[in-house]
Each structure stands twice: as structure tokens, then as C-alpha cells.
Amino acid sequence: MDGVETALQGLSEENRKTITRLLYGAAEEFAQLEVPEAVQELSREGNFQVAGYKVPCPKEQLRPQRIVRVGVVQNSIVLGTEEPLLDQYKAIEAKVGRIIEAAALMGVNVLCLQEAWTCPFFFCTRERYPWSEFAESAEDGMSTRFLKELAKRYNMVIISPILERDHAHCETVWNTAVVIGNNGNVIGKHRKNHIPRVGDFNESTYYLEGNTGHPVFQTHFGRIAINICYGRHHPLNWAMFGINGAEMVFNPCATVGGLSEPLWPIEARNAAIANSYYSFAINRVGTEIFPNAFTSGDGRPAHKDFGHFYGSSYCACPDGSRTRGLSYKDDGLLVSEIDLNLCRQVKDKWGFALTARLPMYAESFTAAVQPGFKQQIIVDPSLCQDHA
């Protein structure tokens, strides 16, 4: 099966509409964007999927529309992991460059790549070398230089999740998203807030939790933020980006089917609903095999692959609707045409920010982190009598 969408194709029209409403939060499927012939040609040459959707939003009387085309990219690696590192990177760069060209022809204004897009997701191996050599400067590393040129050429904001080498602080490594403006300038960066210690996700071997807080970047096309990978499991992480004013929050990931797939369609969509912004869930695709076998600490025999990265990237909207996902197994570009006015419209309708009661929770959280904290549990008096 090439994703959940393929399982819906044989349904009757009535059942299809019901399933669409429940799975995608809309009574009707989103209108598809036209894919120019030049993009179709690039897609055929590069063997990647292109899908585009127009998210509906009521027009307002006093505010002009704020239409933005947002693109997300999912891709597999190109060469085997035993090949020289520079060759591996250059092969990925060439593939991604072709997809970015397609995004430009689709009129994309803001584009986000997948987590650690410049390299295989080697963290399962726990081997520091040669893999740590992929880390680079966020400001002037080779991937940043490459994307700065494309951002300026295509008048596009590009979010580039990489491994950052922090030369100013003892050359430590961070999992970082670099935000490149449409003028080819580096606007800033955000470092991953939550680091997994589950399954083969041995990321703390290489880097620890980030120290950049929850920044929101004001760009020419709206306010954006990046919730990197494992942070999607933490509702407060999503919430702080919304509190800081984000209108679009990107979730670049690398996650495998045996671990997280049942959670995948839910978490980014929940975040969009709870925080009245657009969220974009982005996952790589393919199975990456490494030269040396490694164990998972769960009794299984040593193995050389992480599992299958299942793609399925999608856009979720403030009103709870979402696009269909990209392929389960193929490279792809998803383009969503959105109106940022929908964020305020949903806030006015549902009043989640109005009813959030942040001071109450701030007081409770402050108490919860104190050494003498006692949980607020009220015991049934009859339980005490039973034990008397």
C-alpha cells in the first residue's frame, strides 16, 4: 500500500465523502492545484511525486487575503552509506535542488526540507565517525550556501534542518533548522528542544537539547516556527510557538513505521487545532542500510537498518482540516495554497486563546517543578476506612 489514501479509492461516493470528512476534517476534498507541464517533466525526470491543494478560507470584508503557497519536501538518500561523505551529500543536494526548482515553478513562497536532509539518519549507529563530519556551520556551511543562492533566485523562504557545528562553543553539535530569507540571507536558526531516547533513536550520542527557546521568525510571507521531530510529542512545545505568534509551524522529521506511524496523522493536526495555526508534518522516505550492524537494547539481533521511513507528509489547518499525505515510499513535493487569515478566523470562532487560562497553568507548573511538590490527589475517605 502506498499510503492510506490508496485504500480509499474503491469506496462508494457516499462512503468516500464520510471518510473524507472524518479523516481529513472537510466535507469535500480540497481542490487540487494545477501542476504545470514543466513541473510534471521535472517530476518524471527526478522520479518524485508532486501534489498540490488549495485550502478554503472565507474572504473577509476588512482584511485582504494573505495567500501563501507553502511547500514541503520528503526524500530518500541517493548513494549507499558506505560511499564517501561528500559524494553522499552532493547526490542529495542534486536531488533536492531539482525538487526545489519544481517548487519554484509551482509558485512556492515558503519551503521546508526534512530533518537532517543533508545526510543519512545515522543516529541509530552510535558511531561518531565518520558521521559527525556531516555537521556544518548554520551560517555559512555548504548546505546553507547552496540554499541561500536558491532562496534568492526563487524569491523563496527556505527552512533547512541540518546538523550544526557550533564553532563559537567548543565545536559542539546541534540538531538545527536554519531559516533562510527570500533575499538569500540567514534570518536565524532554531535548535531541537526535545531529544528522543527510544528505540534506535540514539541522538543524545551526538547532541543534546537545544537552547534557543521557541523563536518565531517574521518573514516576508508570514510568521513561521520549527518544531523539530520529537518535539511533536510534546504539546507544550507546539503551544509555545503559538503563544509567540506563529502562523505556520513546520515539523521536519525522520521517523519509522514500526514506532510512530499510528501517531503520525494525529499529532500535527491536533497541534493546528489547539493553537489555531497551520502545521506541516514532514518525514523522509526509504530504508537506509549502514555498514556496521548495531543493536537496539531490546533483545533483537543486531541489524544494519533503522526501519522504513514512511513519508506521508501533510499540511494541517487551524480548522482541523488537512490535506492528503504524500507517498509512503516515494520522494515528493507537497504544495499547499493557504490563507493566513484563517488563523484569526478560527481563534474568533473557537476562542481557545481566550479560554486558555495561562496564569492558572503557569502557577501550577511553577509549583510542579519545586522539590517539595505534592500532587493534588483527593482520596476517597472510604479507602482509608477499608485499610483501617
Side-chain angles (χ1 to χ4, degrees):
M1 188 176 72
D2 190 28
V4 68
E5 282 77 12
T6 59
L8 306 178
Q9 294 175 356
L11 296 175
S12 67
E13 181 68 14
E14 181 180 356
N15 286 341
R16 185 189 62 78
K17 286 187 175 182
T18 299
I19 294 298
T20 296
R21 178 175 59 83
L22 295 176
L23 284 185
Y24 301 107
E28 298 290 341
E29 294 187 37
F30 293 160
Q32 295 190 30
L33 297 176
E34 180 182 355
V35 179
E37 178 57 38
V39 175
Q40 296 180 42
E41 182 64 25
L42 282 171
S43 171
R44 288 190 291 268
E45 292 175 356
N47 194 29
F48 59 89
Q49 175 191 10
V50 177
Y53 300 96
K54 184 174 183 178
V55 176
C57 175
K59 289 185 178 180
E60 299 183 14
Q61 297 185 46
L62 300 181
R63 283 198 305 171
Q65 291 179 292
R66 300 175 62 209
I67 303 297
V68 181
R69 283 204 177 187
V70 181
V72 301
V73 176
Q74 64 177 46
N75 62 272
S76 58
I77 60 174
V78 181
L79 301 180
T81 58
E82 75 284 352
E83 297 295 329
L85 300 191
L86 184 59
D87 291 350
Q88 291 187 52
Y89 166 74
K90 285 297 184 181
I92 297 171
E93 182 187 88
K95 172 189 280 195
V96 169
R98 185 181 292 112
I99 299 176
I100 293 175
E101 181 182 355
L105 292 171
M106 287 289 292
V108 166
N109 306 118
V110 181
L111 182 85
C112 187
L113 304 177
Q114 66 196 25
E115 182 184 21
W117 73 271
T118 60
C119 57
F121 208 71
F122 55 79
F123 309 111
C124 52
T125 69
R126 297 190 296 275
E127 298 169 345
R128 287 191 169 88
Y129 277 89
W131 311 117
S132 292
E133 293 185 56
F134 276 115
E136 58 180 306
S137 166
E139 288 73 25
D140 61 3
M142 60 182 174
S143 69
T144 299
R145 294 194 300 271
F146 167 67
L147 293 176
K148 284 172 66 175
E149 180 181 341
L150 296 185
K152 185 174 183 179
R153 179 190 306 171
Y154 298 133
N155 190 34
M156 184 189 298
V157 172
I158 300 179
I159 301 164
S160 174
I162 63 168
L163 287 185
E164 176 194 3
R165 178 73 69 180
D166 186 356
H167 293 285
H169 297 93
C170 300
E171 298 191 315
T172 51
V173 175
W174 304 94
N175 186 319
T176 299
V178 184
V179 180
I180 302 170
N182 57 307
N183 294 312
N185 57 307
V186 174
I187 299 175
K189 62 189 177 186
H190 172 58
R191 292 166 174 164
K192 187 172 181 176
N193 278 332
H194 296 277
I195 307 302
R197 294 161 177 85
V198 57
D200 286 328
F201 289 84
N202 300 304
E203 297 175 43
S204 58
T205 301
Y206 304 89
Y207 49 79
L208 295 176
E209 287 75 12
N211 58 2
T212 53
H214 296 85
V216 171
F217 303 91
Q218 177 69 65
T219 75
H220 185 75
F221 303 108
R223 296 190 300 272
I224 66 175
I226 308 99
N227 180 2
I228 303 173
C229 199
Y230 193 68
R232 74 184 181 278
H233 304 308
H234 294 267
L236 294 177
N237 205 41
W238 289 106
M240 281 307 306
F241 293 118
I243 289 171
N244 282 335
E247 298 169 306
M248 298 168 275
V249 179
F250 296 87
N251 181 221
C253 297
T255 186
V256 292
L259 180 68
S260 65
E261 196 168 6
L263 307 179
W264 183 253
I266 301 169
E267 290 175 306
R269 187 178 176 192
N270 279 354
I273 296 168
N275 299 289
S276 303
Y277 53 48
Y278 291 92
S279 64
F280 299 86
I282 309 153
N283 188 25
R284 66 171 59 203
V285 287
T287 302
E288 302 172 359
I289 300 173
F290 293 91
N292 302 317
F294 53 87
T295 59
S296 303
D298 59 2
R300 287 190 298 153
H303 45 283
K304 293 187 175 183
D305 70 275
F306 209 139
H308 179 70
F309 297 102
Y310 54 81
S312 307
S313 305
Y314 67 93
C315 163
C317 311
D319 61 1
S321 62
R322 54 156 288 188
T323 67
R324 289 180 172 240
L326 287 177
S327 169
Y328 183 85
K329 58 184 178 63
D330 297 326
D331 296 344
L333 167 68
L334 172 67
V335 180
S336 304
E337 183 177 289
I338 64 176
D339 186 343
L340 296 179
N341 283 352
L342 187 60
C343 298
R344 185 197 288 181
Q345 291 177 15
V346 172
K347 289 176 183 177
D348 288 344
K349 177 179 179 179
W350 282 100
F352 293 149
L354 179 68
T355 59
R357 302 199 64 190
L358 296 182
M360 179 184 70
Y361 289 105
E363 182 179 335
S364 296
F365 283 129
T366 300
V369 299
Q370 302 306 314
F373 172 68
K374 293 183 179 180
Q375 295 174 318
Q376 188 179 2
I377 299 175
I378 300 174
V379 179
D380 181 346
S382 66
L383 294 177
C384 299
Q385 295 173 5
D386 291 342
H387 291 289

